[in-house]
Amino acid sequence: EAIAAEGVARFPDHMQLQALHWRLLLADGQREAAIAAAAACAEARPDTLGTQIQAVQFLNRLGAEEPADAALARCLRLDPDNLTVILARAEALMARKDAQGVRDLLDALPDALRGREAIQIRIAQAEAVTDALPRAIERLDTLARGPGDSANLRLTLAQFCVRLGRLAEAQAHLDTLDPAPDDRFARVRRHLVRAQILFESGQPGPA
């Protein structure tokens, strides 16, 4: 952490160093210092969209609503129609358990934006926690049949199917994935979903 802090002091405009410093502070148990560092970085660069987005994402995860909102307001001033900014807004709402707010926000987007895979997945995630899980599966299944199919999409579909007890359907989605996706996070999620399927099918030992 000390090395990262020195790097930030020497190269204050290097965002990778800045973000690394926040994460290291958090890993060292210094939550408030991490929040303060991220907020200060965002305040010092009010016209840099990338800085504001990174700060929003980090602060949202820590539940730091006030500085996250301040950074999000700067995002909206700089580029309100930017896809990443829209997703940051949705993330802020989900962090506050306002899934209906996410649905309202994303459903109001123009068709060209609303049809993007990242937006459709966020809508489905919001539907999944607002008593509309079958609709979420239908939405993602339709998307998966088109050119937007991806490992992330299939894994999300499989997880939703497990929650509804549709285990064969969940396994079918896993079977469409490559045996070893390049994305490490996707590989971890695949193992997790496979374990969930086994557990829900009455096989806790193999799970």
Side-chain angles (χ1 to χ4, degrees):
E1 191 273 321
I3 294 175
E6 180 184 348
V8 166
R10 292 181 60 188
F11 307 103
D13 293 327
H14 196 295
M15 267 313 299
Q16 286 181 310
L17 274 176
Q18 290 281 356
L20 175 61
H21 185 218
W22 310 341
R23 294 195 299 272
L24 288 174
L25 284 169
L26 184 61
D28 195 38
Q30 301 182 61
R31 179 179 179 276
E32 295 306 317
I35 290 172
C41 180
E43 289 171 5
R45 298 161 183 77
D47 297 320
T48 306
L49 183 62
T51 299
Q52 303 308 318
I53 289 172
Q54 286 196 55
V56 170
Q57 292 170 337
F58 182 78
L59 293 165
N60 271 337
R61 287 195 292 271
L62 298 188
E65 294 187 8
E66 187 173 337
D69 284 346
L72 184 55
R74 297 185 200 103
C75 288
L76 295 173
R77 174 179 60 80
L78 292 168
D79 192 355
D81 296 326
N82 182 290
L83 178 62
T84 308
V85 172
I86 293 166
L87 291 172
R89 291 177 68 191
E91 183 180 332
L93 290 167
M94 284 297 282
R96 292 158 209 191
K97 305 188 186 306
D98 185 5
Q100 188 58 54
V102 174
R103 292 179 66 179
D104 293 342
L105 167 69
L106 301 181
D107 280 336
L109 293 174
D111 290 345
L113 270 177
R114 194 171 62 248
R116 299 282 292 272
E117 177 185 320
I119 295 293
Q120 287 292 304
I121 289 176
R122 289 300 189 285
I123 294 174
Q125 288 170 337
E127 288 173 332
V129 294
T130 52
D131 299 321
L133 187 53
R135 172 66 187 120
I137 292 175
E138 180 185 345
R139 178 185 299 280
L140 294 187
D141 192 54
T142 299
L143 192 63
R145 296 175 190 279
D149 196 7
S150 71
N152 182 41
L153 178 56
R154 287 287 176 179
L155 287 164
T156 303
L157 258 169
Q159 287 180 311
F160 287 175
C161 288
V162 170
R163 286 174 55 184
L164 276 186
R166 291 156 59 168
L167 304 182
E169 193 173 338
Q171 184 61 55
H173 287 302
L174 288 190
D175 290 343
T176 65
L177 298 174
D178 291 334
D182 292 336
D183 185 347
R184 180 175 179 274
F185 182 61
R187 292 200 302 272
V188 171
R189 284 186 70 194
R190 185 179 185 186
H191 283 297
L192 174 62
V193 177
R194 184 176 293 156
Q196 290 173 328
I197 292 171
L198 288 168
F199 181 81
E200 294 296 334
S201 61
Q203 303 178 67

